[in-house]
Amino acid sequence: MLPLIPRRQTPFVGTAKELVREDGEKMGEALAEELQTEVAFTIPLFGGIPVHESIVVMWGIMAFIMIAVLLLTRNLKIVPGRGQAMLESAVTWVNNFLEGNMGKAGRPYFAYLGTVLLLLGISNLIGMFGFGIKPPTKDINVTVAFALLSIILIEVSTFRAQGGLKGFLSSFTKPMAIMTPINIMELGIRPLSLCMRLFGNVLGAFVVMKLIEHVCGLIVPMVFSMYFDVFDGLIQAYVFVFLTSLFMAEGMEVEEEKKPELQQV
């Protein structure tokens, strides 16, 4: 057998590898810089309380929603115009969606859940408008806050529906006593799943879009943006509210015929 002669690497191949490596390092540094949540300003209390950019963006979105609500609900008429009819249709859709999940027992919570749906939807879409604004939901602290508020709402609604502390504690033994440890573990599992699902999907879409922009220039990212920024962002807001309302329905023991048929997502 003839001895194998090692292939000599040409200078062109070596240069190409170095260029690819340098380009990958630059792309990684740029991506890491995009993912950093910068401190917008510091409150001079208790040694300085940093307020991050994601919090400021959330404040801006909430202010926008409040102003829009005040403007859109002025001069409401019995015979609605086009704008009022569109607004009423949107509110009716949200109420029907939540009532299908929770039944009439969940009506006191419809306003909060509808607000969360709107807030998350705008938060996930705001990155596509440019101006250097990043989606606040790519900050895990924001998604943790949403998840904690959801789990508090779930437990409070369960406590009220079960008629107090005794009924609330007995709900952990349903459908049978042997399920009690698992039901207790769900107190931590539910907010963790809500938090990581929202954070992971929003962060993943943001990273993929930045990679596509870096590799493909301008035209191709515009096509993918229709999915990652618009469709996926709205879907994640819908799924978050859907799961929250479904967990509340379980705690409030909504009749089976009033629950929506579970679909595989």
Side-chain angles (χ1 to χ4, degrees), residues 172-184:
F172 289 100
T173 63
K174 297 177 181 178
M176 56 186 66
I178 197 173
M179 298 293 292
T180 301
I182 297 177
N183 291 334
I184 294 175

Side-chain angles (χ1 to χ4, degrees), residues 122-143:
I122 298 176
S123 299
N124 293 342
L125 295 178
I126 198 169
M128 65 181 294
F129 297 111
F131 306 106
I133 301 177
K134 303 172 186 176
T137 43
K138 78 175 184 61
D139 184 356
I140 193 170
N141 298 296
V142 174
T143 59

Side-chain angles (χ1 to χ4, degrees), residues 158 161-163 166-184 186 190 250-253:
T158 302
Q162 299 296 335
K166 183 178 179 181
F168 175 74
L169 294 177
S170 65
S171 66
F172 289 100
T173 63
K174 297 177 181 178
M176 56 186 66
I178 197 173
M179 298 293 292
T180 301
I182 297 177
N183 291 334
I184 294 175
E186 284 185 347
R190 283 177 174 176
E250 292 177 359
M252 293 187 294
E253 294 185 341

Side-chain angles (χ1 to χ4, degrees), residues 76-88:
L76 296 179
K77 301 177 181 179
I78 298 177
V79 180
R82 181 178 299 179
Q84 183 178 336
M86 293 177 61
L87 183 63
E88 291 179 357

Side-chain angles (χ1 to χ4, degrees), residues 12-191:
F12 175 77
V13 174
T15 304
K17 288 184 177 180
E18 291 178 2
L19 290 175
V20 171
R21 187 182 303 111
E22 292 177 1
D23 190 60
E25 291 176 354
K26 291 180 180 179
M27 185 170 60
E29 292 174 359
L31 188 60
E33 184 178 353
E34 288 285 345
L35 294 177
Q36 288 180 354
T37 304
E38 300 178 358
V39 176
F41 60 91
T42 302
I43 300 175
L45 293 174
F46 307 107
I49 302 175
V51 179
H52 291 268
E53 179 185 356
S54 57
I55 303 300
V56 176
V57 175
M58 288 296 298
W59 287 346
I61 295 173
M62 288 187 287
F64 169 77
I65 293 175
M66 289 297 298
I67 294 173
V69 167
L70 292 175
L71 293 177
L72 292 173
T73 55
R74 292 190 310 169
N75 302 322
L76 296 179
K77 301 177 181 179
I78 298 177
V79 180
R82 181 178 299 179
Q84 183 178 336
M86 293 177 61
L87 183 63
E88 291 179 357
S89 297
V91 173
T92 301
W93 178 84
V94 172
N95 288 336
N96 291 339
F97 160 64
L98 294 173
E99 187 170 343
N101 286 355
M102 306 170 64
K104 294 182 179 180
R107 283 184 177 178
Y109 310 102
F110 286 1
Y112 170 79
L113 292 173
T115 304
V116 171
L117 179 64
L118 180 62
L119 184 59
L120 281 178
I122 298 176
S123 299
N124 293 342
L125 295 178
I126 198 169
M128 65 181 294
F129 297 111
F131 306 106
I133 301 177
K134 303 172 186 176
T137 43
K138 78 175 184 61
D139 184 356
I140 193 170
N141 298 296
V142 174
T143 59
V144 166
F146 273 109
L148 289 177
L149 288 174
S150 290
I151 198 62
I152 291 172
L153 184 65
I154 291 168
E155 301 309 323
V156 168
S157 63
T158 302
F159 184 89
R160 294 179 60 185
Q162 299 296 335
L165 182 61
K166 183 178 179 181
F168 175 74
L169 294 177
S170 65
S171 66
F172 289 100
T173 63
K174 297 177 181 178
M176 56 186 66
I178 197 173
M179 298 293 292
T180 301
I182 297 177
N183 291 334
I184 294 175
M185 289 174 59
E186 284 185 347
L187 292 176
I189 294 173
R190 283 177 174 176

